[in-house]
Amino acid sequence: TRRLSRILALPATGTRHAGGMPSFLLRLVHAAMALLFLFAATLQFNDADALPWIAMYVAAAVPCVLVVIGRPRRALAIGVGVIAVLWSG
């Protein structure tokens, strides 16, 4: 379990991430993605089966917002991704 927790943990806020990308740039990209996911959720309101799509887009935005506020949860992001892939059929 220690190895698994090490794999799922992201570096601390002030460190550089994979590829040497500064955490500020990574947060900026996550902020943009969160806004895009939330915008996509708002576009679903006139759809016949809006609720599942809205839930999926909001769920995808949550890990992005957590990175922006400095509390990243890689396991949550992986979980949302797995659910999206399984749901896509």
Side-chain angles (χ1 to χ4, degrees):
T1 59
R2 175 178 265 178
R3 183 174 180 191
L4 180 61
S5 65
R6 205 171 351 141
I7 291 171
L8 298 177
L10 285 175
T13 305
T15 63
R16 294 186 171 267
H17 296 275
M21 184 186 299
S23 66
F24 172 77
L25 184 56
L26 189 60
R27 285 182 176 188
L28 188 64
V29 170
H30 276 82
M33 288 306 301
L35 290 174
L36 287 172
F37 283 131
L38 294 174
F39 177 68
T42 62
L43 294 177
Q44 300 303 317
F45 279 107
N46 65 351
D47 197 358
D49 61 342
L51 194 56
W53 285 102
I54 292 170
M56 184 52 68
Y57 283 124
V58 171
V62 169
C64 296
V65 171
L66 290 174
V67 169
V68 171
I69 65 172
R71 302 183 60 81
R73 299 290 181 261
R74 186 177 290 179
L76 177 63
I78 291 170
V80 170
V82 167
I83 290 170
V85 168
L86 292 175
W87 182 44
S88 70

